[in-house]
Amino acid sequence: MPGCGIELLLPEAYYVACREADKLIRPVSVRAAVHYLTHTLGVEADELRAVVAGFGEEAGDGQIDEYRVGFTLRQTPDVVYGIVWPLYGQEDEDGTPIEGLIHAGITGIEKQKVPIDEIMECLTAAGVTQVKRHGERYVNEYCDDCGAPLFADPAGELVHAEMPEDTPPGNEHFH
């Protein structure tokens, strides 16, 4: 057809696009969590503390599969909310391997970031000033009752994220 543009995509392009979308949504989840907590709890972002810990499989080779970010109020150690920052494919705690960046073009080498640095940047950009980072790798643990992931508190104990009892119920307003 004359005058029509065409773009040929490889068969795995759909899955690659889905994976890239999963990677790009991670910073948005940090901003959304801070926004939700500041409005629900009626606090400022600098009154929140983030606790970041790496998690992996028990039988694994010590590799981190995901980071879990638990949020607490600054004055209490109780985790009130948490998000999961998964690592995909060849990505690991050291960042994307250099071979992948060479295929992406030499300009990608300057942009290489370690996932923990990305998390810290996102938290800082969202206004969270106090961040506790645990250096050890935790085993993926989930709640036996509800299946929710457990998050590390400031002392390093794995706990269930629960909002304070005096939190007002959210209004379910859909557009």
Side-chain angles (χ1 to χ4, degrees):
M1 297 173 75
C4 292
I6 186 168
E7 182 179 353
L8 299 175
L9 300 175
L10 296 173
E12 76 262 17
Y14 171 78
Y15 298 105
V16 171
C18 288
R19 179 58 49 98
E20 287 304 310
D22 287 343
K23 287 180 181 179
L24 294 174
I25 199 68
R26 297 181 298 192
V28 176
S29 67
V30 172
R31 288 193 307 269
V34 172
H35 182 316
Y36 168 72
L37 290 171
T38 56
H39 286 78
T40 302
L41 299 175
V43 297
E44 294 296 320
D46 63 350
E47 296 177 50
L48 296 172
R49 171 180 34 203
V51 181
V52 182
F55 286 78
E57 293 296 322
E58 186 173 10
D61 56 354
Q63 178 179 333
I64 293 177
D65 296 327
E66 64 189 20
Y67 285 97
R68 294 184 187 174
V69 182
F71 291 94
T72 70
L73 294 173
R74 226 177 204 185
Q75 64 273 15
T76 64
D78 301 328
V79 176
V80 295
Y81 194 75
I83 60 165
V84 176
W85 184 289
L87 301 179
Y88 294 109
Q90 293 182 339
E91 184 180 38
D92 63 10
E93 66 268 18
D94 296 326
T96 305
I98 196 73
E99 296 86 24
L101 291 175
I102 290 172
H103 292 298
I106 208 72
T107 58
I109 292 176
E110 297 92 37
K111 298 178 187 175
Q112 181 182 10
K113 290 184 187 172
V114 180
I116 193 70
D117 292 338
E118 288 183 66
I119 295 170
M120 298 302 226
E121 284 179 14
C122 291
L123 290 168
T124 303
V128 178
T129 56
Q130 187 176 7
V131 179
K132 167 83 172 162
R133 180 177 173 221
H134 292 292
E136 63 204 67
R137 182 186 65 89
Y138 292 89
V139 175
N140 287 341
E141 293 280 335
Y142 299 92
C143 177
D144 293 333
D145 296 331
C146 66
L150 299 179
F151 297 90
D153 67 1
E157 298 293 323
L158 294 181
V159 297
H160 198 290
E162 294 184 26
M163 293 294 275
E165 300 220 357
D166 60 344
T167 304
N171 58 353
E172 299 289 331
H173 179 73
F174 296 106
H175 294 278

